[in-house]
């Protein structure tokens, strides 16, 4: 054995996993990791081991026995990146810039590994021809949106202000796509009467306030006839907070999605009584499919979660009264019933 043979085998250059990926992409991983040819011991040792120069022994991954498999690309953790590669580019070492699994395209390699050894690459290697390096497999990172919170859960502890913000931001049903404004409600607090209509119409959708069109003018006149005003006594809202396209009837799923807002409004406003206008609102609030003719003319009660019983009076919708003025006499009876000391 010559003194040359006894010389210690130079340690292979230390590179971190990211640098290994760069080298692989450049097609230079094996060449780079090979011990420099100037040290003959390396050649002898490789030959003596029975391994093919430039290839890892069978059963050992090319990156060494402890090297991680490289498919899919798993970026080193920020801690590993800092520990193994002090000279790595800042972006690689920044803790929050390193997701656990990163798409290959998202992590562009710099032109040279940042080891300070780039100048040692022989020109013959840099200029070599051959098949282009295989692109690393892409790993798509799917950012999963958190599941939406159901309306009933979201409104549970909301105050009126928070509730209004939730309604304005609501996307619990398809009606949010066509709305200009969600219409939360408007009126007096403390609230003597809560008036509940069906859903915003075109004017309400434009202005963001309930009952502002012709129906609203009639409603104000009806309320004034029993000494009530929306500024002083009445809070006005709807079962559905967004306008259904073309003023169509709301669908059951839209009612189900929206009604927790109304229930929370009732719980917070604690009205002395509720005047429900129109078949749709009455059926929704009272949980019945009875007709208006059946429901009006008597006092119903809505049981709150706190165990209170709020009197509910059903009457015709102002839009119906505009079309059927002869029914105004009955509506007047309903208002007088609502205004009575109950
Ligand atoms: N009709 C309703 O039911 N509500 C409104 O806000 C306007 C018209």
């Amino acid at each position: 054995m010559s003194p040359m043979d006894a010389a210690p085998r130079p340690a292979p250059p230390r590179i971190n996993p990211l640098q290994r990926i760069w080298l692989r992409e450049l097609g230079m991983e094996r060449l780079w990791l090979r011990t420099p040819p100037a040290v003959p011991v390396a050649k002898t040792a490789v030959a003596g081991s029975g391994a093919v120069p430039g290839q890892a022994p069978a059963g050992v991954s090319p990156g060494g026995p402890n090297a991680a498999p490289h498919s899919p690309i798993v970026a080193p953790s920020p801690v590993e990146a800092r520990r193994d590669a002090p000279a790595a580019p800042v972006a690689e070492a920044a803790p929050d810039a390193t997701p656990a699994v990163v798409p290959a395209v998202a992590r562009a390699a710099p032109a040279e590994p940042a080891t300070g050894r780039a100048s040692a690459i022989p020109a013959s290697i840099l200029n070599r021809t051959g098949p282009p390096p295989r692109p690393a497999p892409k790993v798509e990172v799917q950012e999963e949106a958190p599941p939406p919170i159901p309306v009933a859960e979201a409104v549970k502890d909301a105050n009126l202000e928070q509730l209004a913000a939730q309604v304005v931001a609501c996307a619990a049903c398809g009606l949010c796509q066509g709305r200009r404004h969600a219409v939360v409600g408007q009126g007096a607090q403390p609230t003597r009467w809560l008036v509940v209509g069906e859903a915003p119409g075109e004017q309400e959708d434009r202005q963001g306030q309930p009952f502002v069109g012709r129906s609203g003018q009639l409603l104000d006149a009806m309320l004034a006839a029993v000494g009530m005003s929306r500024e002083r006594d009445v809070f006005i809202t709807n079962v559905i907070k967004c306008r259904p396209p073309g003023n169509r009837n709301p669908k059951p799923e839209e009612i189900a999605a929206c009604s927790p807002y109304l229930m929370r409004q009732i719980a917070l406003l604690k009205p002395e009584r509720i005047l429900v206008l129109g078949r749709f609102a009455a059926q929704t609030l009272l949980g019945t499919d009875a007709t208006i003719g059946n429901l009006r003319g008597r006092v119903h009660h809505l049981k709150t979660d706190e165990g209170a019983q709020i009197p509910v009076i059903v009457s015709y919708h102002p839009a119906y009264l505009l079309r059927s003025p002869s029914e105004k006499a009955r509506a007047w009876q309903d208002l007088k019933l609502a205004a009575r000391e109950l």
Side-chain angles (χ1 to χ4, degrees):
M1 186 185 287
S2 74
M4 281 276 253
D5 289 342
R9 185 181 168 184
R14 272 177 66 77
I15 63 167
N16 67 27
L18 188 64
Q19 290 164 332
R20 188 180 299 283
I21 292 163
W22 298 335
L23 289 171
R24 177 167 304 164
E25 295 219 5
L26 291 168
M28 298 192 326
E29 184 189 32
R30 288 177 193 160
L31 289 162
W32 179 252
L33 292 176
R34 232 168 68 180
T35 312
V39 183
V41 172
K43 255 189 197 163
T44 314
V46 168
S49 72
V52 180
Q55 277 189 7
V60 178
S61 102
N66 299 324
H70 287 296
S71 181
I73 296 172
V74 178
S77 75
V79 174
E80 283 169 343
R82 279 197 301 272
R83 190 177 55 227
D84 294 345
V90 173
E92 298 301 335
D96 53 3
T98 313
V101 179
V102 184
V105 286
R107 296 170 67 80
E112 292 180 350
T115 57
R117 299 188 199 183
S119 59
I121 301 173
S124 58
I125 294 174
L126 280 175
N127 300 332
R128 83 181 192 148
T129 54
R134 277 193 322 163
K138 285 183 189 173
V139 179
E140 295 292 338
V141 176
Q142 300 271 333
E143 289 269 323
E144 266 193 37
I149 303 170
V151 174
E153 182 65 24
V155 303
K156 218 170 41 159
D157 300 315
N159 60 27
L160 281 168
E161 208 177 312
Q162 292 163 337
L163 194 70
Q166 289 172 347
V167 170
V168 166
C170 182
C173 78
L175 294 182
C176 64
Q177 285 157 19
R179 74 179 171 218
R180 289 187 177 94
H181 290 102
V183 180
V184 183
Q186 175 206 33
Q189 291 166 53
T191 304
R192 292 189 59 201
W193 288 15
L194 178 68
V195 172
V196 181
E198 178 175 323
E202 191 190 354
Q203 287 306 313
E204 291 76 19
D205 176 58
R206 278 183 193 282
Q207 299 182 37
Q209 302 291 352
F211 282 99
V212 289
R214 283 184 64 220
S215 297
Q217 288 168 10
L218 178 55
L219 174 61
D220 285 340
M222 289 162 64
L223 292 171
V226 285
M228 293 280 164
S229 83
R230 60 170 103 187
E231 288 78 30
R232 201 184 48 235
D233 316 285
V234 179
F235 192 97
I236 302 175
T237 189
N238 290 298
V239 172
I240 298 286
K241 310 301 188 201
C242 298
R243 182 193 181 203
N247 296 346
R248 64 156 169 76
N249 284 338
K251 297 178 184 168
E253 64 268 25
E254 293 160 354
I255 300 165
C258 211
S259 49
Y261 293 124
L262 176 61
M263 294 308 160
R264 185 66 187 154
Q265 284 177 312
I266 293 171
L268 290 164
L269 292 168
K270 297 184 173 42
E272 287 173 24
R273 65 203 53 177
I274 300 175
L275 177 63
V276 189
L277 302 177
R279 176 180 62 90
F280 169 83
Q283 291 179 342
T284 303
L285 208 67
L286 298 174
T288 174
D289 53 11
T291 62
I292 286 272
N294 248 307
L295 296 170
R296 60 166 293 279
R298 58 201 165 100
V299 179
H300 306 262
H301 286 91
L302 184 76
K303 203 165 173 206
T304 66
D305 284 346
E306 292 87 34
Q309 302 260 10
I310 304 177
V312 176
I313 292 93
V314 174
S315 191
Y316 296 105
H317 193 285
Y320 172 74
L321 295 175
L322 287 172
R323 293 194 304 271
S324 312
S326 61
E327 300 287 15
K328 284 184 184 174
R330 288 190 219 267
W332 174 238
Q333 299 299 322
D334 298 332
L335 284 172
K336 285 199 295 186
L337 175 62
R340 267 212 325 246
E341 215 37 69
L342 298 174

